[in-house]
Amino acid sequence: LILEEGEVPFADIVGRLLSNQNQLFSEPINGVVYLKDQELVEGMIKTVQTDLTNLQSPYLSGILDKFISSDFLPLVQMSRYCPYSCSFCVSGKTRGKLRGFPMDMIKEEITFISKTYADRPHFALQVADENFGSNRKQVDEFCEKIAPLDVLWYTAGVRVRNVDKELIRKMKESGCTTIYYGIESGSAKMLKIM
């Protein structure tokens, strides 16, 4: 089980596998918990957040090429985590601050995906942010960059307070077909408690 952000621990696992499969579980792996001889082995938990500007795109690097097939549902992520500290959710409280991926990389990913799926115009791209719309400037820029690509897209985890008619119009004009809202409660009192 990889805890926290997975890119670095996963790369460490793959590196160990490639160097010597028999040594994979010879010592703890940072950021990973695993079961060995009926005992939990836990590596040091690194709370350092990955610099999203230094991550390679799995689409653009070719790492996903063999997995992209007719039943593959494409997604992109514009940001990680959440700026809020809701009592019922772990994302904003313990996992880190809201950070965004470089918008130019996101546009390149969407361009790649739209070309790869040119023969399947019915697909819809998922924008898989935990809290889409938290950064209004980023969403405005995203809508501007994706609109000319003629891609249908949808998003989930939208906080009702983060959208207005103008933003919804921009999203629709840029190809957004569906918005899934996170409605925690209809009670103002309960929302304040949460």
Side-chain angles (χ1 to χ4, degrees), residues 72-78 110 122-129 132 142 146 151-158 171-172 174-181:
F72 178 79
L73 297 174
L75 63 87
V76 294
Q77 191 177 27
M78 287 194 335
I110 295 169
H122 60 280
F123 90 89
L125 174 72
Q126 178 184 1
V127 179
D129 288 24
F132 184 87
F142 174 78
I146 196 172
V151 172
L152 299 178
W153 62 280
Y154 69 97
T155 190
V158 177
M171 291 170 65
K172 182 177 189 237
S174 71
C176 183
T177 61
T178 308
I179 301 170
Y180 293 99
Y181 290 99

Side-chain angles (χ1 to χ4, degrees), residues 125-142:
L125 174 72
Q126 178 184 1
V127 179
D129 288 24
E130 291 178 78
N131 201 325
F132 184 87
S134 296
N135 182 333
R136 177 64 177 259
K137 182 181 173 190
Q138 184 188 41
V139 174
D140 286 340
E141 186 179 358
F142 174 78

Side-chain angles (χ1 to χ4, degrees), residues 25-110:
F25 297 117
S26 61
E27 59 186 61
I29 304 168
N30 290 339
V32 178
V33 176
Y34 57 89
L35 192 62
K36 180 179 179 184
D37 301 324
Q38 302 300 317
E39 296 285 328
L40 277 180
V41 178
E42 185 174 344
M44 186 176 80
I45 305 302
K46 295 182 177 182
T47 56
V48 176
Q49 295 180 343
T50 308
D51 181 354
L52 302 182
T53 60
N54 290 333
L55 290 180
Q56 275 192 315
S57 163
Y59 292 110
L60 304 176
S61 68
I63 226 167
L64 290 177
D65 287 355
K66 65 181 177 181
F67 299 104
I68 296 178
S69 63
S70 61
D71 56 351
F72 178 79
L73 297 174
L75 63 87
V76 294
Q77 191 177 27
M78 287 194 335
S79 64
R80 276 201 186 153
Y81 303 141
C82 178
Y84 306 106
S85 297
C86 302
S87 62
F88 55 85
C89 180
V90 70
S91 186
K93 288 190 296 194
T94 61
R95 291 179 48 203
K97 66 178 186 169
L98 180 71
R99 295 167 294 132
F101 286 89
M103 193 57 65
D104 288 337
M105 182 181 81
I106 295 166
K107 183 180 179 187
E108 285 181 55
E109 287 182 332
I110 295 169

